[in-house]
Amino acid sequence: MHLDLNLLTALDALLEENSVTAAAARLHLSEPAMSRTLARIRTALHDPVLVRSGRRMVPTPRAVAIRAEVRELLHRAHAVFAAPAEPDPATLERTFTMLAGDLAVSVAAPLIDRIAAEAPGVRLRFLGETPQTDTPALRSGEVDLDIGVVNDPPPDIRTEVLLRERLVPIVRAGHPLTRGRLTLRRFADAVHVSASRRGRLTGPIDDVLERHGLRRRVALSTPTFAAAMLMVAQTDLVGLGAERFGRSTAAALNLVTLDVPGLDLPPIELAQAWHARFDADGAHRWLRTRVKEVVVTSLS
């Protein structure tokens, strides 16, 4: 049997008004249209529902018996389509799984402090990035949020740019490039380390050097910026670090940044990405807001 839920609204009005005319006015229908609707209700329920008694209409015993149930069903149907209430972080019990590169993990401590203060029942689980695209993990629900550099996301993946970061050359204190006049050629002639989760040995820096007729030699690739910085701290390798994200790590490792004339590198965009099904989820929306606030506050 095909159910027309519009009949539920009409039945509720008829049982409330005990009048076809009044029910029609309440639902902004013509009286003939409401009469036809009553006929359909009678057929569906196998009951007259309303019968004439003198100059008014009265409900049948079946109509009286189902009146409260009809009203409750209608309220529940409206609740389904109503906008969900915003969650109370203080009572939220949920574990969020996040993919994050080492750049993003550098703000994990203030994020955890912020969430612990607002939502003690929320737990965060950080997973490392993989060489492959992380889209399947977002689609399957294994991962709630991906924080990092997001390139060319498919239509079902939503993204929000958190900030733009500048990459700067880094070397250990006392490195030969810190002495004497630094030129783009001296920089290119040094031995470099690349930070790439996909193991790439080239990047935007090579495009800049090529425009000047120069090439560099990359001795090795590491999966994270943090690993590259550790290599730089112990050798004469030249690496790249994030200007703000890597500031504390660079200081701890006694690294210095180089101002290389002519090396104008494009900024990278740190973004958060999630699957479209979480767009309207209140708890997920709250998490995304907190992530953005902490990243912007920590690195501004």
Side-chain angles (χ1 to χ4, degrees), residues 12-35:
D12 178 67
L14 287 164
L15 297 180
E16 181 73 19
E17 303 291 346
N18 286 332
S19 165
V20 172
T21 301
R26 178 174 169 177
L27 298 181
H28 307 289
L29 297 174
S30 67
E31 191 169 334
M34 181 55 76
S35 294

Side-chain angles (χ1 to χ4, degrees), residues 6-76:
N6 290 324
L7 295 182
L8 193 65
T9 302
L11 179 58
D12 178 67
L14 287 164
L15 297 180
E16 181 73 19
E17 303 291 346
N18 286 332
S19 165
V20 172
T21 301
R26 178 174 169 177
L27 298 181
H28 307 289
L29 297 174
S30 67
E31 191 169 334
M34 181 55 76
S35 294
R36 290 193 295 271
T37 300
L38 176 56
R40 292 177 59 200
I41 291 172
R42 285 168 169 166
T43 300
L45 292 178
H46 305 288
D47 186 87
V49 183
L50 292 177
V51 296
R52 188 160 296 281
S53 176
R55 302 185 62 178
R56 63 193 184 94
M57 300 192 79
V58 296
T60 64
R62 173 81 188 285
V64 173
I66 66 174
R67 179 185 289 153
E69 184 178 2
V70 169
R71 174 53 57 89
E72 175 63 20
L73 286 172
L74 199 58
H75 282 166
R76 288 167 60 187

